[in-house]
Amino acid sequence: MAERARAGGAPARPASYLNGLNPEQRDAVESIDGPLLVLAGAGTGKTRVLTARVAHILSQGRAYPSQILVVTFTNKAAREMKERIHSMVGDAVEGMPWLGTFHSIGVRILRRHYELVGLRSGFTILDTDDQIRLLKQLIAAENIDEKRWPARMLASAIDGWKNRGLSPENVSPGEGAAFAHGRGQMLYAAYQARLKALNAVDFGDLLLEGIRLFREHPDVLADYHKRFKYLLVDEYQDTNVAQYLWLRLLAQGSKNVCCVGDDDQSIYGWRGAEVDNILRFESDFPGAKVIRLERNYRSTGHILAAASHIIAFNEGRLGKTLFSDGETGEKVAVTGSWDSGEEARAIGDEIEALQRSGHALSQVAILVRASFQMREFEDRFVTLGLNYRVIGGPRFYERAEIRDALAYLRCVMSTADDLAFERIVNVPKRGLGDVAVKQIRDVARASGVPLQEAARLLAESEELKPKLRATLRGLVQSFDRWREQAGHTKHSELAEIVLDESGYTDMWQKDRSAEATGRLENLKELVRSMEQFENLQGFLEHISLVMDVDNGAAEDAVQIMTLHSAKGLEFDTVFLPGWEEGLFPHQRALDEQGKAGLEEERRLAYVGITRARLSARIYFASNRRIHGMWNSTVPSRFLDELPDAHVEVQESKGGFGWGGSGGGAYGASRFEKTEPFTSTYATPGWQRAQTARAASSDPSSRGGYGAGKGSGRGGPLVIEGTLLASSIGGESAFTAGERIFHIKFGYGEITGIDGNKLTVQFDKAGEKRVLESFVEKV
DNA sequence: GAGGTGGCGACCGAG
DNA sequence: TCGCCACCTC
């Protein structure tokens, strides 16, 4: 973070990137010849080492930027590394075309040699959604009951095989038999054949086909050996077998391969990651040097101690001892609350307090185990008027409107893209429903042509009723017209033309639902971002692999994300809600992976705690809604694994619940609550009573409950925010009867005004009370 | 063919 | 509880 080498060609002070490195880090940066494994604990400056190492290689003149391969797992990591290298060596980083995720580099390689693996130029990359639809068709064609053997299940099986580097012929018969009475392997083969026919690949193929390419064409591989003088791999503990094979093939050239990883942060076992890869490194690369980074620069003493203590419960680990010279700082706070709503309220209040004391919101993160936990916080923060940002979530590319728009463009680009055509023939609705599509498909099969050509044939035949025939002909002609325009129109303009003329934009403009505005916004964003690309092809690639929602990165907002996507990041203050058995550790991890699953969950806990620089705050709730039903929960076993000396147990600051428990009524497990929370007391009704009592007896307590959301949510309705409203006061800019738009609930009409709070009858969401600042006039 | 309704399973995690 | 899908009616 610190150094900023001003480099105009060559750095002014050649070794400035070495400033401030400790001896081990410096060793890792300078040992550039031969294989190197860096075991880097959390917060030990691993990214810093990687970037300084690249700077070192460049400044020593050992390689051109284009001769260094740097592989990361996430786009975020790739982006960050690019920025940091840039700040060290200046513009040279522009020429680092081989810095990216496994998948983006994989596709880059395939694009250069597509003909060698049986693909044609401009092949498309399917995502999970396309995959499922395709598999559904195959399953149906085999007359297999989709209810009993869902496509999703087959997709994950195939994914698993691909993660392990297995093509259909390599799947062991026993395993292949696991799906639909022995037809799994056959379906996998059929799926691959279908992909080839569609000129498409899925995510797994991006690596698998690369491996095949290297194996079957040694000359191509030799070429890459010559090209890549240095290889660097981030998060090595997360590589799966396919990634490992792919890497090993490439690394056999120069042998200057540097892998950085931490076995304690391996959290991707479920997608085939093999911690063994890290243990195997020394035998794979004889003479490999191993460097351990154990000095932690991130977290204060108590946090580090708590994390180290918890991870020590794992058995299968290489074992590292993290230490730091820093201050002991704040103890790790553990807070119990009555239910998930109170948990969200307590965290919201604490964040507001932090904000008041000048803490930047962007330095606060809430890390959840499962994404459904996020909603509660979003609801709460909308009510409080707290800026937040959800990281991860549904990706830009996965949104329906974006996928529709892209499908249109794919159809323009290629008449052979059946999946894209099927997706949009009847979007917007134009009367070409299931029956029509089936007819098109029949023609396609009979004449051996793609769907778009079949549609053309059908439109010219007498098969269809005149009205439908005209519609279909119109569509086919539109595509012909757009295709013709594509030759001489800027691609972003073409996209606008296509979206307008197809009636797609219109469809959303007519839609009055809450999401419609956002969708139109997204479409605009799509067109805008196209302008940065030279052609449609390059854009389509980028969006399927790289593009994520990254708007407003600079704004000051609380970050909400899963523990998985938090790896590699750090924050001053980290909130860790939902530490309950079944949720964390997650039941499915335990059921499916047993002890290994538990250990992976524990590593996830370790990752979570070590994200914090100054303050880590853990929460558990006694009641949580699962599948819509309230369940009482048991505190996570991980809470018991925290070291007493570094933990401070608190009561919920939410103001409610826990009312009578008097300073921690902990049972056998410190966190197992006793009397007031058993049997009859453990009901939402009792809780409501408690809440109401707390509110009435404590005038300073904030009317914490959100905006009348109590309706149907088990929360109290009585204590609504008069206090909050009157404390802020002021004239409202709105009048009753006005139409408004709310960012979360959509359109509605104002029925009442109370200070800065409005009562609104929403078109879709019913009556709610909302803060004025979240509402705009329409 | 479109739109509505009722039953059912999901809610773990990345590209 | 929510969203998806199959099934039903117009």
Side-chain angles (χ1 to χ4, degrees):
Chain A
M1 282 168 255
E3 67 272 75
R4 216 159 253 123
R6 289 292 164 109
R13 282 181 302 137
S16 62
Y17 53 82
L18 296 174
N19 285 350
L21 293 177
N22 66 35
E24 295 78 33
Q25 290 176 325
R26 184 159 177 157
D27 194 14
V29 168
E30 292 182 324
S31 305
I32 58 177
D33 294 312
L36 171 70
L37 176 65
V38 180
L39 293 172
T44 54
K46 142 188 95 80
T47 311
R48 182 140 184 240
V49 163
L50 273 175
T51 48
R53 189 178 164 91
V54 171
H56 186 66
I57 292 167
L58 292 175
S59 79
Q60 295 290 303
R62 299 292 285 270
Y64 292 112
S66 63
Q67 293 173 322
I68 305 176
L69 174 72
V70 187
V71 203
T72 66
F73 271 81
T74 62
N75 293 310
K76 218 186 311 162
R79 210 180 309 129
E80 193 190 319
M81 209 168 292
K82 222 169 222 176
E83 279 161 18
R84 285 172 77 163
I85 295 174
H86 182 84
S87 74
M88 284 186 186
V89 301
D91 295 332
V93 69
E94 296 303 327
M96 290 207 46
W98 300 101
L99 187 165
T101 60
F102 274 102
H103 292 92
S104 68
I105 290 170
V107 75
R108 198 183 163 90
I109 290 174
L110 285 190
R111 289 274 179 226
R112 307 169 101 223
H113 314 280
Y114 54 85
E115 73 290 350
L116 297 179
V117 289
L119 290 165
R120 282 158 279 141
S121 92
F123 60 84
T124 47
I125 301 160
L126 301 194
D127 64 12
T128 331
D129 225 61
D130 291 323
Q131 246 184 75
I132 301 276
R133 276 193 300 150
L134 220 163
L135 288 173
K136 264 194 185 146
Q137 291 175 15
L138 293 173
I139 289 171
E142 284 295 313
N143 283 321
I144 295 169
D145 180 12
E146 223 260 344
K147 278 237 165 65
R148 180 131 163 55
W149 301 102
R152 201 163 284 282
M153 192 196 251
L154 180 59
S156 77
I158 290 178
D159 211 45
W161 290 324
K162 289 190 173 180
N163 283 338
R164 284 157 51 207
L166 301 173
S167 39
E169 61 276 14
N170 297 329
V171 175
S172 75
E175 261 194 277
F179 188 86
H181 310 299
R183 284 184 281 184
Q185 191 169 13
M186 182 274 284
L187 283 164
Y188 180 16
Y191 170 70
Q192 289 307 109
R194 194 84 180 89
L195 286 180
K196 282 281 146 65
L198 289 165
N199 194 31
V201 292
D202 63 18
F203 282 126
D205 287 340
L206 294 178
L207 291 166
L208 220 51
E209 293 291 354
I211 294 170
R212 197 155 71 83
L213 170 75
F214 294 150
R215 284 190 177 147
E216 290 174 8
H217 300 275
D219 51 318
V220 173
L221 181 61
D223 206 49
Y224 282 102
H225 283 165
K226 231 180 289 160
R227 174 184 299 266
F228 296 137
K229 297 205 166 141
Y230 291 92
L231 293 85
L232 290 86
V233 187
D234 193 13
E235 310 281 13
Y236 188 62
Q237 76 282 355
D238 285 335
T239 46
N240 60 36
V241 174
Q243 288 159 336
Y244 166 80
L245 293 171
W246 184 90
L247 261 177
R248 205 178 57 173
L249 281 163
L250 284 171
Q252 274 159 359
S254 76
K255 303 245 178 13
N256 294 327
V257 55
C258 168
C259 294
V260 180
D262 177 2
D263 56 316
D264 288 336
Q265 292 187 65
S266 162
I267 54 174
Y268 285 105
W270 51 273
R271 58 158 209 210
E274 293 272 342
V275 199
D276 283 0
N277 289 347
I278 212 167
L279 308 172
R280 209 159 46 188
F281 189 85
E282 289 179 83
S283 62
D284 277 336
F285 298 98
K289 183 167 175 175
V290 179
I291 297 175
R292 284 163 187 267
L293 302 182
E294 295 176 308
R295 180 183 294 264
N296 178 290
Y297 290 96
R298 181 186 296 150
S299 312
T300 48
H302 285 309
I303 294 172
L304 201 59
S308 304
H309 194 264
I310 213 170
I311 196 66
F313 282 85
N314 272 3
E315 285 171 16
R317 56 193 292 258
L318 294 175
K320 282 181 304 312
T321 318
L322 290 185
F323 62 93
S324 113
D325 301 334
E327 296 171 17
T328 47
E330 242 178 65
K331 287 189 178 181
V332 173
V334 175
T335 310
S337 44
W338 169 256
D339 64 11
S340 47
E342 189 188 298
E343 180 183 76
R345 262 174 279 135
I347 291 177
D349 289 354
E350 285 190 48
I351 293 176
E352 282 194 317
L354 286 168
Q355 189 182 27
R356 276 194 296 273
S357 64
H359 206 91
L361 290 184
S362 60
Q363 277 309 319
V364 178
I366 299 176
L367 310 182
V368 298
R369 174 72 241 287
S371 44
F372 75 88
Q373 291 172 261
M374 294 181 181
R375 247 197 67 183
E376 202 112 33
F377 293 102
E378 290 194 62
D379 282 355
R380 185 65 194 146
F381 292 174
V382 168
T383 314
L384 287 178
L386 212 54
N387 250 346
Y388 69 88
R389 196 167 157 236
V390 172
I391 314 281
R395 276 184 294 288
F396 191 71
Y397 175 64
E398 281 165 12
R399 296 170 187 216
E401 66 277 18
I402 300 302
R403 296 171 47 80
D404 289 340
L406 292 176
Y408 268 105
L409 296 175
R410 274 159 61 184
C411 285
V412 174
M413 291 263 298
S414 152
T415 51
D417 200 328
D418 284 359
L419 285 166
F421 186 75
E422 253 180 80
R423 186 178 174 94
I424 48 82
V425 249
N426 204 29
V427 180
K429 298 245 183 313
R430 40 173 80 91
L432 299 166
D434 293 348
V435 178
V437 171
K438 190 175 176 304
Q439 269 176 294
I440 298 173
R441 217 183 277 144
D442 288 344
V443 173
R445 197 165 311 137
S447 338
V449 295
L451 292 181
Q452 227 183 110
E453 290 306 322
R456 188 189 306 276
L457 293 174
L458 199 60
E460 281 158 12
S461 73
E462 302 290 312
E463 298 267 320
L464 293 172
K465 291 201 191 105
K467 205 172 162 198
L468 274 188
R469 200 190 309 156
T471 315
L472 194 58
R473 194 184 307 132
L475 186 67
V476 170
Q477 283 168 353
S478 294
F479 275 117
D480 288 342
R481 191 176 62 249
W482 295 326
R483 205 165 294 127
E484 190 270 324
Q485 280 173 305
H488 52 81
T489 316
K490 221 174 100 196
H491 53 282
S492 55
E493 279 166 34
L494 179 74
E496 275 184 50
I497 292 172
V498 172
L499 292 178
D500 283 344
E501 293 185 0
S502 62
Y504 191 74
T505 321
D506 228 35
M507 179 181 95
W508 288 119
Q509 263 154 5
K510 288 204 188 96
D511 190 308
R512 292 297 282 171
S513 69
E515 309 92 64
T517 357
R519 292 187 195 271
L520 286 165
E521 235 355 273
N522 288 337
L523 289 171
K524 268 192 215 136
E525 174 62 33
L526 182 80
V527 172
R528 248 199 311 276
S529 60
M530 283 176 85
E531 285 164 8
Q532 300 161 18
F533 292 84
E534 296 214 336
N535 52 43
L536 206 50
Q537 166 87 59
F539 174 72
L540 289 177
E541 188 133 301
H542 173 83
I543 198 163
S544 58
L545 285 173
V546 182
M547 189 140 172
D548 40 18
V549 221
D550 198 30
N551 41 21
E555 73 178 332
D556 192 36
V558 179
Q559 319 269 305
I560 305 176
M561 67 188 91
T562 62
L563 285 163
H564 282 90
S565 50
K567 192 163 61 129
L569 305 177
E570 56 181 60
F571 306 90
D572 285 343
T573 305
V574 169
F575 291 90
L576 299 160
W579 283 42
E580 297 129 35
E581 285 293 301
L583 178 59
F584 192 39
H586 200 278
Q587 196 55 50
R588 270 197 21 201
L590 302 181
D591 291 347
E592 286 164 21
Q593 303 287 326
K595 184 162 169 261
L598 175 63
E599 297 215 336
E600 183 154 314
E601 295 287 294
R602 195 176 278 120
R603 289 194 289 270
L604 210 43
Y606 174 77
V607 167
I609 297 173
T610 53
R611 297 310 94 195
R613 280 193 283 255
L614 304 174
S615 175
R617 309 185 188 183
I618 298 170
Y619 289 77
F620 65 94
S622 312
N623 293 281
R624 192 172 289 276
R625 203 163 20 184
I626 298 163
H627 303 325
M629 276 198 305
W630 283 101
N631 290 62
S632 67
T633 55
V634 176
S636 170
R637 68 189 79 185
F638 297 151
L639 291 170
D640 288 328
E641 295 173 1
L642 290 166
D644 282 326
H646 304 285
V647 170
E648 191 174 331
V649 178
Q650 306 185 329
E651 281 192 42
S652 168
K653 292 194 183 98
F656 312 124
W658 281 78
S661 63
Y666 302 119
S669 154
R670 277 176 300 164
F671 302 96
E672 202 87 60
K673 293 159 300 295
T674 50
E675 2 85 64
F677 297 101
T678 47
S679 63
T680 54
Y681 298 108
T683 63
W686 183 84
Q687 185 238 340
R688 265 195 292 278
Q690 282 291 297
T691 313
R693 208 182 59 204
S696 58
S697 65
D698 179 7
S700 70
S701 96
R702 321 256 320 277
Y705 261 89
K709 269 184 225 150
S711 49
R713 297 183 87 233
L717 292 161
V718 271
I719 49 154
E720 232 347 279
T722 45
L723 275 173
L724 183 61
S726 56
S727 69
I728 296 169
E731 279 291 297
S732 177
F734 293 88
T735 49
E738 231 176 335
R739 292 282 297 168
I740 55 94
F741 177 76
H742 183 271
I743 58 168
K744 195 167 175 70
F745 304 120
Y747 292 95
E749 189 177 316
I750 297 175
T751 54
I753 299 167
D754 180 12
N756 66 340
K757 284 195 148 194
L758 309 172
T759 308
V760 179
Q761 182 65 45
F762 287 103
D763 299 350
K764 301 261 161 163
E767 190 178 80
K768 307 254 182 221
R769 292 191 68 195
V770 295
L771 278 177
E772 195 181 281
S773 51
F774 285 91
V775 159
E776 47 188 77
K777 301 183 184 207
V778 286

